[in-house]
Amino acid sequence: MTDKWLHLCELSGDPWVLPIWASVHRAMAAGRTTAITPELSEMGVHISTRLTLLPRVVDRLTKDVSALYCTAKAYEPEHVFTRTKSGTALPVDNDIKYHVIADVDSFLFEVNACAELMQKFFQLLYAHAGKPITDKEDVAKAVIAVLKKDGVPKAWFKKLKQARNFAAHNGTPYVAIDISEYGKWEALFLKENIVLLDDKRKFFKVSDLQDISHGFSSAKTALQKHLVELFQL
């Protein structure tokens, strides 16, 4: 039995939903819509929480990958793999390596979860505006159309889907580091325990995660703009 407990106050959070609420309230004042429902309000809180989490996940991933690079600088020639030569796996502190893997999983989960919540939010707001979209596939198409109209590239979503589906349903990434260019190292996340890296379908890169992050940022801006305008019509 829980007899005593503490709730934690929210000092600040991501403000993405606030301009949308402001637009809804203006529409309410003009008599064009009704009060925000508890379901909509709760969904707004969930999205704000995810959006507040995400930068912290990205920051942690960035720091842990940097720590991995620093540790890997101790490699010797015998540790290097090439297309014609097999090396010896580089010993790396388990905490550093597994923090990176956990960060990647967390990043993919949070972006995917937030994207799904935003799609549900989109559907709820359309219904609230008197323009219900009942079919889930039609909602997805409507969201894609909004992003396309605003010029948001869609390649990031394909990368998210592929990496997230692998991490969530099919396996756990192995970590390697591309040291081909001096000063431009890049962590690689292998979908199989492979030696040669000649099939790009079998791994994804830190730069892919950066593309996902930038694409998601552009998408949330486009969706916010559209949902604000939805209640100005």
Side-chain angles (χ1 to χ4, degrees):
M1 175 69 73
T2 304
D3 296 317
K4 295 182 180 180
W5 58 89
L6 300 174
H7 283 294
L8 308 183
C9 69
E10 182 60 60
L11 298 178
S12 63
D14 189 283
W16 180 83
V17 75
L18 297 184
I20 300 170
W21 287 157
S23 185
V24 175
H25 282 293
R26 286 192 294 270
M28 288 168 54
R32 297 195 306 272
T33 192
T34 56
I36 295 169
T37 65
E39 185 180 14
L40 262 173
S41 180
E42 189 70 20
M43 184 63 69
V45 173
H46 290 320
I47 291 172
S48 296
T49 302
R50 293 279 181 208
L51 289 175
T52 305
L53 268 172
L54 195 51
R56 290 163 170 80
V57 173
V58 171
D59 183 59
R60 191 177 64 189
L61 174 60
T62 301
K63 290 178 179 177
D64 288 340
V65 168
S66 294
L68 177 66
Y69 293 161
C70 286
T71 299
K73 287 179 181 178
Y75 79 88
E76 299 291 345
E78 63 265 24
H79 296 127
V80 178
F81 288 74
T82 70
R83 294 182 181 276
T84 58
K85 178 181 78 74
S86 288
T88 302
L90 176 68
V92 174
D93 181 271
N94 259 1
D95 284 343
I96 293 175
K97 182 172 66 176
Y98 284 104
H99 280 163
V100 170
I101 294 173
D103 294 340
V104 171
D105 276 353
S106 181
F107 171 79
L108 294 172
F109 176 86
E110 291 300 337
V111 175
N112 188 73
C114 198
E116 289 184 353
L117 288 177
M118 285 181 167
Q119 184 166 303
K120 291 179 182 178
F121 191 59
F122 183 97
Q123 184 178 19
L124 288 172
L125 280 171
Y126 257 75
H128 196 74
K131 303 176 181 181
I133 309 174
T134 56
D135 186 82
K136 187 176 180 180
E137 289 188 7
D138 289 339
V139 176
K141 289 177 182 177
V143 170
I144 291 170
V146 169
L147 301 185
K148 183 177 180 180
K149 182 180 178 181
D150 214 63
V152 179
K154 60 182 180 181
W156 72 272
F157 189 73
K158 182 178 180 181
K159 290 182 178 182
L160 170 63
K161 184 177 179 180
Q162 290 175 341
R164 169 61 182 157
N165 284 349
F166 166 75
H169 305 296
N170 299 314
T172 307
Y174 301 87
V175 182
I177 305 173
D178 183 349
I179 61 170
S180 303
E181 294 185 58
Y182 180 77
K184 295 183 178 181
W185 284 15
E186 183 169 22
L188 310 175
F189 307 104
L190 316 184
K191 298 178 182 179
E192 299 177 20
N193 191 10
I194 53 178
V195 176
L196 290 177
L197 303 182
D198 53 358
D199 187 346
K200 293 182 179 180
R201 295 171 300 177
K202 294 185 177 181
F203 62 90
F204 54 96
K205 309 175 181 180
V206 159
S207 57
D208 293 320
L209 302 183
Q210 292 168 341
D211 289 345
I212 291 169
S213 182
H214 295 153
F216 176 75
S217 181
S218 297
K220 73 171 187 166
T221 299
L223 281 177
Q224 182 193 62
K225 175 185 173 185
H226 178 79
L227 293 173
V228 166
E229 292 172 350
L230 178 65
F231 288 89
Q232 294 176 344
L233 301 177

